[in-house]
Amino acid sequence: MSKSAIEVPSQGGFSFDLCRRNDMLAKKGVGLPSFLKTGTTIVGLIFQDGVILGADTRATEGPIVADKNCEKIHYMAPNIYCCGAGTAADTEAVTDMVSSQLQLHRYHTGRESRVVTALTLLKKHLFSYQGHVSAALVLGGVDITGPHLHTIYPHGSTDTLPFATMGSGSLAAMAMFESNYKEGLTRDEGIKLVVDAICSGIFNDLGSGSNVDVCVITKGHKEYLRNHLLPNPRTFVSSKGYTFTKKTEVLSTKIIPLKERVEVTEGGDAMEE
Amino acid sequence: MTKQAANWSPYDNNGGSCVAIAGIDYCVIAADTRMSTGYSILTREYSKICKLADKSLMASSGFQADVKALQKLLAARHLIYQHQHNKQMSCPAMAQLLSNTLYYKRFFPYYSFNVLGGLDTEGKGCVYTYDAVGSYERVGYGCQGSGSTLIMPFLDNQLKSPSPLLLPAQDAVTPLSEAEAVDLVKTCFASATERDIYTGDKLEIVVLNADGIRREYMELRRD
């Protein structure tokens, strides 16, 4: 028996083995389960002392809000954070994985992690999965070479920018940035601009909503401002509340006692240590 | 030659939710005022509730262009009725007219999900619920639109009579007072707005009773 193609050992990357099975299932009417997408507005900008990242907090499953207050700004290293848009599981998994790799690298080199290291690790991973890992990221941090801000697309391409937005609300947020961004912003000006951009996404994009998270990274110091702004409180709470007394009616009851199958003896041997 | 799928659709969904609750001598009809397309908001102040006759109001969600066309048609037919019969159409009559109008376009439907609310000939509240092609039924309460799957279970819990296996079925109208029904509707929409991206901005509540029509607004989340 001869094989027509040379057997190549698997080297990572996407394994397409199950695609034929998925097609067969689809023909039979069994669809793929839907993903939890984060809708999202994420932004980043470089100000005079470092980098500021911002994100909304709504996670959607189609037209329904699955999580009203999720965390989209992920920890990568003490001096590097990453905002994620796209499929929630993908952004979580890829940022956690690269965060661990960075820590091992820090032990190996004895130095603070650099943003370009995180960038290269992420883009290599995403490219090898040919866009099937649906993670669109805004990576920002301050290292020995200075402040850096990058965007990373699901297919693995990257951009290095002074200000960036991603997600379904990126156009609303970019409109704010393009109008008001200038070089050398102070910390307060930078935070205000990031908050304005995220709010623009929250109110004008249906895929984004709820609260604003901000993360300020400077040389040697970081501030993670979770729920920095809460512009969407619930508008109406009934004053008297509601009772839920209606229970399922019991039509008949039948109790069958279970016969004892096992004899339980007290004492006996103690478990092995 | 395999059948080609259309690469253009004549329909769009402008989102939103509508609710109507019938009481002993009143009817509450409510809808949010957000009109959207895709992930964008077109306007935050669009009324989905239309007065068809003195004692009938229709709230519709779905494709607003089809809704507008449907409202125009019903208004014209009502005018003809008034000329011919020298009186306003009753709510049950309007309900039948709406059903026939929708079924007339059975093979190119109005993408309009309607709830009709009003007072019947005896002055009791009545609510009729429809699908897109005109199937209708008189009920004690109804909801349609993107938030309907969120609102309906809550209304069932608060307004539905217990199982008819144990007690005889109660009347379709709810025993709640007008103020309690309005409170219930406000809670429904505040909750639906939290979880449905297409519902929000403002809530328009119209109450129809023997004294006439009263309109009320409430702010909802704008995100």
Side-chain angles (χ1 to χ4, degrees), chain A residues 7-15 17:
Chain A
E7 190 82 35
V8 179
S10 60
Q11 290 171 322
F14 200 73
S15 165
D17 294 341

Side-chain angles (χ1 to χ4, degrees), chain B residues 79-118:
Chain B
L79 194 58
I80 294 171
Y81 182 96
Q82 286 178 77
H83 286 141
Q84 290 175 342
H85 296 85
N86 203 23
K87 63 172 182 176
Q88 294 264 327
M89 267 177 103
S90 66
C91 195
M94 186 56 85
Q96 183 72 63
L97 175 64
L98 175 55
S99 170
N100 292 342
T101 310
L102 290 170
Y103 198 77
Y104 202 70
K105 285 209 355 124
R106 169 67 179 84
F107 298 108
F108 184 12
Y110 289 106
Y111 195 100
S112 165
F113 299 97
N114 313 296
V115 183
L116 187 76

Side-chain angles (χ1 to χ4, degrees), chain A residues 71-94:
Chain A
E71 282 188 33
K72 300 187 189 180
I73 305 184
H74 307 286
Y75 168 89
M76 297 288 262
N79 57 325
I80 307 173
Y81 275 76
C82 186
C83 305
T87 305
D90 286 338
T91 57
E92 279 286 337
V94 87

Side-chain angles (χ1 to χ4, degrees), chain B residues 2-38:
Chain B
T2 45
K3 200 169 179 185
Q4 256 197 330
N7 46 16
W8 174 81
S9 167
Y11 297 114
D12 186 17
N13 190 349
N14 300 121
S17 316
C18 316
V19 165
I21 302 178
I24 295 177
D25 61 348
Y26 67 89
C27 186
V28 176
I29 299 109
D32 70 320
T33 61
R34 172 179 281 177
M35 186 159 141
S36 51
T37 177

